[in-house]
Amino acid sequence: MRLSELLVHTLREAPAEAEIPSHQLMLRAGLIRQNAAGIYTWLPLGLRVLNKVTHIVREEMQHIGAIELLMPMVQPAELWRESGRWNQYGPELLRLQDRRGREFCLGPTHEEVITDLIRNTVRSHRQLPLTLFQIQTKFRDEQRPRFGIIRAREFLMKDAYSFHLDVESLDETYMRMYAAYSRVLERIGLDYRAVKADTGSIGGDVSHEFHVLAESGEDTIVYAPDGAYAANRELAEARPSRKRRPAAEASLARVATPHAYSIADVSKLLDIPPSHCVKTLLVKGSETPAVALILRGDDELNPVKAGHLPEVVSPLKLLGEEEVRKLGSLEFGSIGPVDLEFPVIADREAALLADFCCGANTPGEHLTGVNWGHDLPEPAVADIRLVKEGDRSPEGSGRLSFARGIEVGHIFKLGKRYSTKMNAVVQDSHGAERPLMMGCYGLGISRIVAAAIEQNHDTRGILWPPGIAPFSVIIIPLGAQHSADIRGAAERLHDELHQAGLEVVLDDRCLRAGVMLKDSELLGIPHRLVISARSREKNIVEYQARGAVSSEDLPREGLIDTLRKRLMRQ
RNA sequence: CGGGGUGUGGCGCAGCCUGGUAGCGCGCCUGCUUUGGGAGCAGGAGGCCGCGGGUUCGAGUCCCGCCACCCCGACCA
């Protein structure tokens, strides 16, 4: 392949809209072009990388016995009405009408379409288990696309769906898929973590996310150094700081706390550490106008965990200052759980406190020496705090650390959610109809490309992991403008490597040395060969690995074998 | 969706306050020189100054409306 054919137009400066390295480098190296917010063209060079990832993913899917199919991007509204998601999904679902006014949407995911397919084609448990996948363009009308390809509206995704008679079979496929995702990321050579995750709006009971570790990641993942525990911070929990509540010693007292509204203010004023104060957050209840969530003063609410409480509306809605006022004589800054007329749910840590301090539900006053079961009823207890770095790991030993990650994969045990709603049943061995057990498994192919760059770049450009580099070898002829000999030598070398099955690209643009050398580094091709008058004279080829500090001379004779060895070594 | 910002040639930007010939650097085309880390000189092409309306003799510049894009937050299988 010749560079002149690939529409590479490198940019010396990054376009102003790009902030993070992967976005800047993808634009500068000519991998993508933006068409609209979150919508991109993949240029030839970028597409080669995308196809590399696709290839690896396809192989690993086939390896675990998944069967490929291709479903439509445009999906009829009826299916979404059946599953209930036409109303649930919200504006992220791009809806459209055909010329007859029939409603459709662009597929953000394919549970409906595949469930519809399977209910019409699978009747017997003998056809199970079954795992199907596709690699297809998805559209989600994100409120705020950003970071280039990482959070695009249109993106390439591998989505797989599995169908089972029982949960044991689902568990088995789930674990196989987990292993396959791990292999994909290992083959590409990315530093990643699989973490327990919230199931979000897709539902189901168990789910894991696969995160590529990167500073610019949008998610915080929590892990224990012994590897026994890893979770998204949205769902992460910690081992409680103590086993049981200390005995009460103090007695209830009401103190004036003028102008002290925050935990920090109160703590300072009364000389009580924040860990012995509680904060009371009022949220909209599912049955009651409000529910009080109690946290230790030094803890923060995890809205995702709290949103799962049956007593509160989901997603969680914190009451604003005005809404709180309407509830009675309550004012922000002095709310507490004592004599509150709403359900009180305490975080585990807050429930372990004795002699604590809280708002008195009278503006400008707080209570000290408060004790559960004495000054107020024992609360309902739940784990609703956001874990902190250094908390104790809930499994195994050690303390929790944080890292930033880019979510590239997410697998779910869906259970019967879709099969029940859409009446997808099979006959079991007794002839009885049973709803299908389902799993679904997403892997963001285009996002992996960006994540790979995010994790593998330097000041000069991209350093492609060998498994997904657009080319393995780039040949740069220096002085080719004036030398038919150099030109010819470069061409012959290119053809020879190509014949030998190496993925090689020749920079035939005949530009100045500096430009071609810089570009080769920007493009991130792992191996570079320079042909020049000097190399011709000495009958060598100058070799430099991307990222290496210096070059070395390789004898022209046997070059292919030498190169092959270096390619294998990676 | 709330807050902030930006729209001027392919990319990066100035010009707008104070209205009067649309400019700079990079890139692109031609020629000459140069040639191992983003060359020099000369010549050249390329612009509904985001869109619509208004004010004015005259609008890139002032006013009104809209749109697009970016950033922070909320949101997000």
Side-chain angles (χ1 to χ4, degrees), chain A residues 122-191:
Chain A
V122 173
R123 308 256 71 141
S124 158
H125 72 279
R126 292 199 209 175
Q127 292 167 276
L128 301 176
L130 181 63
T131 304
L132 296 160
F133 78 98
Q134 65 172 347
I135 292 169
Q136 193 232 24
T137 299
K138 297 282 183 283
F139 193 93
R140 291 180 194 173
D141 199 357
E142 295 276 352
Q143 291 188 34
R144 190 152 102 76
R146 59 180 136 176
F147 303 144
I149 288 299
I150 288 186
R151 181 168 294 277
R153 291 193 292 174
E154 188 180 300
F155 57 97
L156 191 65
M157 179 172 179
K158 186 284 304 174
D159 46 327
Y161 306 87
S162 69
F163 298 88
H164 315 267
L165 190 64
D166 53 47
V167 73
E168 290 73 22
S169 170
L170 171 60
D171 288 348
E172 199 186 317
T173 297
Y174 186 87
M175 284 321 296
R176 287 237 282 270
M177 201 58 84
Y178 185 105
Y181 277 34
S182 303
R183 272 195 303 274
V184 165
L185 297 172
E186 274 154 27
R187 275 181 68 178
I188 296 173
L190 298 179
D191 188 10

Side-chain angles (χ1 to χ4, degrees), chain A residues 260-329:
Chain A
Y261 303 107
S262 65
I263 293 286
D265 293 343
V266 173
S267 162
K268 203 171 159 194
L269 182 72
L270 301 179
D271 194 25
I272 298 173
S275 58
H276 282 72
C277 301
V278 305
K279 60 176 86 167
T280 305
L281 302 171
L282 294 179
V283 302
K284 199 165 163 40
S286 46
E287 303 283 328
T288 51
V291 171
L293 302 179
I294 313 298
L295 288 153
R296 226 167 72 172
D298 57 342
D299 276 335
E300 278 181 71
L301 179 71
N302 181 327
V304 173
K305 285 201 274 189
H308 289 318
L309 296 169
E311 293 88 345
V312 309
V313 297
S314 181
L316 193 75
K317 196 175 168 303
L318 277 167
L319 297 184
E321 208 156 347
E322 277 309 309
E323 291 166 295
V324 165
R325 250 178 229 134
K326 282 182 203 148
L327 292 171
S329 59

Side-chain angles (χ1 to χ4, degrees), chain A residues 178 185 191-195 209-213 221 223 230 403:
Chain A
Y178 185 105
L185 297 172
D191 188 10
Y192 74 97
R193 289 273 153 69
V195 305
E209 289 168 349
F210 289 78
H211 286 264
V212 170
L213 301 186
I221 63 179
Y223 62 96

Side-chain angles (χ1 to χ4, degrees), chain A residues 280-495:
Chain A
T280 305
L281 302 171
L282 294 179
V283 302
K284 199 165 163 40
S286 46
E287 303 283 328
T288 51
V291 171
L293 302 179
I294 313 298
L295 288 153
R296 226 167 72 172
D298 57 342
D299 276 335
E300 278 181 71
L301 179 71
N302 181 327
V304 173
K305 285 201 274 189
H308 289 318
L309 296 169
E311 293 88 345
V312 309
V313 297
S314 181
L316 193 75
K317 196 175 168 303
L318 277 167
L319 297 184
E321 208 156 347
E322 277 309 309
E323 291 166 295
V324 165
R325 250 178 229 134
K326 282 182 203 148
L327 292 171
S329 59
L330 299 177
E331 281 285 344
F332 267 28
S334 59
I335 304 173
V338 179
D339 294 331
L340 208 55
E341 54 190 294
F342 312 114
V344 171
I345 300 172
D347 178 67
R348 292 193 305 207
E349 291 294 333
L352 286 170
L353 289 179
D355 304 334
F356 61 84
C357 165
C358 66
N361 294 329
T362 306
E365 293 184 7
H366 277 73
L367 302 175
T368 61
V370 185
N371 281 288
W372 300 110
H374 187 262
D375 307 305
L376 73 173
E378 286 291 343
V381 179
D383 174 24
I384 52 173
R385 69 188 276 277
L386 212 46
V387 300
K388 290 186 286 206
E389 222 161 355
D391 281 349
R392 297 203 299 167
S393 172
E395 292 162 29
S397 61
R399 296 191 177 267
L400 297 175
S401 298
F402 285 9
R404 303 289 290 175
I406 300 168
E407 181 193 344
V408 297
H410 201 162
I411 60 178
F412 300 83
K413 289 183 194 175
L414 284 178
K416 299 176 189 166
R417 174 177 167 155
Y418 292 90
S419 52
T420 308
K421 283 215 158 143
M422 297 181 66
N423 195 32
V425 298
V426 286
Q427 289 194 324
D428 65 16
S429 54
H430 307 292
E433 284 198 337
R434 285 167 57 174
L436 286 159
M437 294 294 299
M438 283 178 66
C440 74
Y441 318 90
L443 192 58
I445 306 235
S446 44
R447 189 180 275 187
I448 285 176
V449 174
I453 296 173
E454 209 55 49
Q455 208 173 70
N456 298 281
H457 68 272
D458 61 16
T459 52
R460 293 163 179 257
I462 302 169
L463 286 103
W464 286 115
I468 60 169
F471 294 95
S472 306
V473 183
I474 184 167
I475 298 171
I476 297 184
L478 295 188
Q481 304 93 307
H482 306 293
S483 165
D485 174 63
I486 290 172
R487 224 160 33 234
E491 292 278 352
R492 283 194 302 280
L493 180 59
H494 167 269
D495 293 350

